[in-house]
């Protein structure tokens, strides 16, 4: 069992930056996979980035080169640094975690989810 709490969302203009945080209630070094997802209004949830316990990362094509996922095991916190933001990045951003190993984010769903933090990008 792990509780996840996201923070850092907000409203910025296109071209700006935001840094999202996800605080975990357990040692993140014990978690096999942590990831960020997002869901825009009227659209399906999509994966944004994932990091496994070995530090390997995966990004969606839409954010590659602009977003960076990192993790601080000393603080039990996952981050998502978002640069060069675009209006199409507007969405609710969710942190997720799973203790199963494999492709990260897991293709068939993650077990634990935060409640999300809203990101709004204006043009």
């Amino acid at each position: 069992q792990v509780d996840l709490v996201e923070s850092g969302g907000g409203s910025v203009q296109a071209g700006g930056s935001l840094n999202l945080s996800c605080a975990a209630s357990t040692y993140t070094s014990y978690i096999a996979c942590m990831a960020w997802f997002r869901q825009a209004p009227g659209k399906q949830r999509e994966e944004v980035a994932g990091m496994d316990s070995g530090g390997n990362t995966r990004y969606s094509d839409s954010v590659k080169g602009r977003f960076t996922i990192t993790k601080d095991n000393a603080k039990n916190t996952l981050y998502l640094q978002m640069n060069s933001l675009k209006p199409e990045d507007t969405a609710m951003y969710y942190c997720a975690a799973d203790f199963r190993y494999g492709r990260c984010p897991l293709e068939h769903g993650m077990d634990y989810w935060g409640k999300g933090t809203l990101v709004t990008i204006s043009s």
Side-chain angles (χ1 to χ4, degrees), residues 10-18 83-87 89 120-123:
S11 298
V12 298
Q13 289 191 322
S17 298
L18 284 172
N83 298 328
S84 302
L85 284 162
K86 305 175 181 179
D89 294 319
T120 304
I121 311 301
S122 58
S123 58

Side-chain angles (χ1 to χ4, degrees), residues 5 16 21 26 31 33 35 44 54 60 83 90 95 97 100 118:
V5 180
S21 299
T26 191
I31 301 174
C33 172
Q44 286 190 329
S60 69
N83 298 328
T90 294
C95 175
R100 294 171 291 175
L118 183 62

Side-chain angles (χ1 to χ4, degrees), residues 29-91:
S29 58
Y30 293 173
I31 301 174
C33 172
M34 296 191 74
W36 290 97
F37 290 76
R38 67 185 181 187
Q39 187 167 18
K43 294 188 177 181
Q44 286 190 329
R45 186 176 63 199
E46 62 173 346
E47 63 181 54
V48 175
M51 175 179 279
D52 65 20
S53 57
N56 300 301
T57 58
R58 181 187 295 269
Y59 296 92
S60 69
D61 288 342
S62 61
V63 307
K64 200 171 293 182
R66 299 188 298 123
F67 292 10
T68 303
I69 187 171
T70 58
K71 185 174 57 163
D72 186 339
N73 287 332
K75 296 182 178 180
N76 296 321
T77 301
L78 182 76
Y79 301 96
L80 185 69
Q81 177 66 44
M82 306 187 296
N83 298 328
S84 302
L85 284 162
K86 305 175 181 179
E88 51 263 43
D89 294 319
T90 294

